[in-house]
Amino acid sequence: MFSYGYVMARTAGSHSDITGPRVAQAALQLFARHGYAAVSMRQIAAEVGVQAGALYNYTPDKQSLLFDLMRGHMDELLAARAALLQPDGPLARLEDFTRFHIRFHLERPDAVFVSYMELRNLTPANFAVIEGLRRRYEDDLEAILRAGVGAGLFDVTDTKIATLAVIAMLTGVTTWYRAEGRLSVAQVETIYWDMVRKAVAA
Amino acid sequence: MFSYGYVMARTAGSHSDITGPRVAQAALQLFARHGYAAVSMRQIAAEVGVQAGALYNYTPDKQSLLFDLMRGHMDELLAARAALLQPDGPLARLEDFTRFHIRFHLERPDAVFVSYMELRNLTPANFAVIEGLRRRYEDDLEAILRAGVGAGLFDVTDTKIATLAVIAMLTGVTTWYRAEGRLSVAQVETIYWDMVRKAVAA
DNA sequence: CCCATAACTGAACATCCGTTCAGATCAAAG
DNA sequence: CTTTGATCTGAACGGATGTTCAGTTATGGG
């Protein structure tokens, strides 16, 4: 957590780069399972195999633990999206967005769950940050829809509402999908893309 | 809460039929705003204007307070749906379902929020009950979709997935709709119906 | 006006909470 | 092998938690 730019000049007795990620992962899993408010620092510590006081080598407080998880998730989402080169044309772009959204979210169910359910447990300042990142992601989709409407390919009454409707529909996949189930991620992508395509079609 | 069938033979000093609903309403509002685990019995009591101990005249414990709110919400949902006479034909039925779902959910945002977010804070037995009620509601929509597919009016790959996708999309309306906003509920219904109709169209 | 009783108070119970910190422990650098 | 400092323990802090209950207050029926 406290890296010093260059290669960190590690000194004696240090393995915080092992424990640090374990703290974050334990917190994520427990927050997703039981909710932020219902999980105690002692439970997180027990999961890591450490006493509660030791957690404070890795986070200033419990709120930062939640916020860092959510900001990390949103950063990953935006970075992964930005890393892809977008296909040409609104229709191909929309399919790309649909498949990306489903794939990304199905790969990290815990982070998705926490990021959608624990917004109200953020301080107002932290909430504003997460809300801004989420807004940037939504704007990405809305731009696609607007371009499609402009080109006469799509027909939606209100691009902002359509954006939120599509994202709600796609994110809903995380509530029922199980990796052991009968459908592969690719099949699920195709099923949802079929519905999205028709829903906004002209 | 403890009614005796007939007209309750109320005796001296009783006004629990005033305080009782106030407890439920305060709990609902606070649970929706801050989450079940983050709200204390003392906060609920303060909202009602009473000491914490008095709440136990109206609920055996905090868990029952949550469960009764959620069961009440689901019962209302199923009862309201059952009270409507269904139009003829899958298309009209689907429109009816869409408009009903949006209207019903926009009328009780707190109950919707609690019922979707606090499932993990139910005991396993209570969870099973709520899950069963939700399943009955979903089956209602799935029957409509299946009938439409059978009649060649709809084209969906998997009626179960389409059911969950449509419900997720529709319920998402509660996250952004504000009564003071520019759109009436009827307008929102029409916008979503447009998308639902096309999404499942043959 | 009295009185049975519903409704509520206020204090107490054991237990948990997030956070702090002095001191023990540990691993690597010299 | 010693030193150095990162890491962790274990106890403590004030305060909050859900729940219980003996005792007080308020209300309407007789």
Side-chain angles (χ1 to χ4, degrees):
Chain A
M1 294 235 167
F2 307 104
S3 73
Y4 292 93
Y6 317 74
V7 170
M8 186 149 121
R10 312 294 311 296
T11 50
S14 100
H15 56 284
S16 76
D17 49 354
I18 295 174
T19 310
R22 294 224 301 145
V23 169
Q25 198 209 321
L28 179 63
Q29 187 174 125
L30 287 169
F31 288 166
R33 197 113 59 206
H34 308 292
Y36 172 76
V39 172
S40 71
M41 294 299 271
R42 284 170 178 83
Q43 284 175 59
I44 298 170
E47 188 77 15
V48 176
V50 110
Q51 294 298 315
L55 298 181
Y56 292 85
N57 289 323
Y58 305 100
T59 183
D61 48 38
K62 192 186 176 189
Q63 167 72 205
S64 301
L65 210 43
L66 176 63
F67 176 63
D68 288 344
L69 287 171
M70 293 178 72
R71 188 174 37 76
H73 174 69
M74 294 307 296
D75 284 347
E76 257 195 88
L77 176 67
L78 290 170
R81 179 98 188 108
L84 296 175
L85 65 157
Q86 310 254 348
D88 280 340
L91 196 67
R93 271 171 142 79
L94 184 60
E95 176 172 5
D96 184 61
F97 182 95
T98 298
R99 292 184 182 276
F100 167 81
H101 187 92
I102 289 177
R103 196 172 344 109
F104 186 90
H105 283 69
L106 284 184
E107 276 167 5
R108 25 180 94 59
D110 282 350
V112 170
F113 209 68
V114 168
S115 292
Y116 277 78
M117 304 279 269
E118 304 296 354
L119 286 167
R120 61 183 167 190
N121 288 119
L122 292 173
T123 62
N126 287 344
F127 177 81
V129 172
I130 302 298
E131 194 66 3
L133 295 173
R134 182 186 309 279
R135 181 57 175 269
R136 278 179 45 196
Y137 184 68
E138 291 169 1
D139 287 348
D140 194 358
L141 173 56
E142 194 182 358
I144 295 171
L145 292 180
R146 237 198 304 258
V149 170
L153 292 166
F154 302 157
D155 180 15
V156 294
T157 312
D158 183 309
T159 54
K160 184 65 190 168
I161 293 177
T163 296
L164 297 173
V166 167
I167 288 181
M169 182 174 115
L170 295 181
T171 305
V173 79
T174 59
T175 62
W176 61 264
Y177 184 81
R178 297 292 169 264
E180 328 84 61
R182 64 190 158 87
L183 294 170
S184 70
V185 174
Q187 286 175 306
V188 173
E189 285 175 25
T190 301
I191 291 171
Y192 274 83
W193 165 233
D194 196 50
M195 289 189 285
V196 169
R197 179 178 49 76
K198 291 195 288 179
V200 304
Chain B
M1 292 236 169
F2 308 104
S3 73
Y4 292 89
Y6 317 75
V7 169
M8 184 149 122
R10 314 292 310 297
T11 50
S14 99
H15 56 284
S16 75
D17 49 354
I18 296 174
T19 308
R22 294 225 301 144
V23 170
Q25 198 208 321
L28 179 64
Q29 187 174 126
L30 288 169
F31 288 165
R33 198 110 62 204
H34 308 291
Y36 172 76
V39 171
S40 71
M41 295 298 271
R42 284 169 180 83
Q43 284 174 58
I44 298 169
E47 188 76 16
V48 176
V50 109
Q51 293 299 315
L55 298 181
Y56 291 83
N57 289 323
Y58 305 100
T59 182
D61 48 38
K62 194 187 175 190
Q63 167 73 204
S64 301
L65 209 44
L66 175 63
F67 176 64
D68 289 344
L69 287 171
M70 293 178 71
R71 189 174 35 76
H73 174 69
M74 294 308 294
D75 285 347
E76 258 194 87
L77 177 67
L78 290 170
R81 179 95 188 110
L84 296 175
L85 66 157
Q86 311 253 348
D88 279 340
L91 195 68
R93 269 172 142 81
L94 184 59
E95 175 171 5
D96 183 61
F97 182 95
T98 299
R99 292 185 182 275
F100 167 80
H101 188 91
I102 289 178
R103 195 173 345 107
F104 185 89
H105 283 69
L106 284 185
E107 277 167 4
R108 25 181 93 61
D110 282 351
V112 170
F113 210 68
V114 169
S115 292
Y116 278 78
M117 304 278 270
E118 304 296 353
L119 286 167
R120 62 186 164 185
N121 287 310
L122 292 173
T123 62
N126 287 344
F127 177 81
V129 173
I130 301 297
E131 194 66 2
L133 295 173
R134 183 186 308 281
R135 180 58 175 268
R136 278 178 44 195
Y137 184 67
E138 291 169 0
D139 287 348
D140 195 359
L141 173 56
E142 194 183 356
I144 295 171
L145 292 180
R146 238 199 303 258
V149 170
L153 293 166
F154 303 156
D155 180 16
V156 294
T157 311
D158 183 307
T159 54
K160 183 65 189 167
I161 293 177
T163 295
L164 297 173
V166 167
I167 288 181
M169 182 173 115
L170 296 180
T171 305
V173 79
T174 58
T175 63
W176 61 263
Y177 183 82
R178 296 293 169 263
E180 328 83 63
R182 64 190 159 87
L183 294 169
S184 70
V185 174
Q187 287 175 303
V188 174
E189 285 175 25
T190 301
I191 291 172
Y192 275 83
W193 165 233
D194 196 50
M195 289 189 285
V196 169
R197 179 179 48 76
K198 291 196 286 177
V200 305

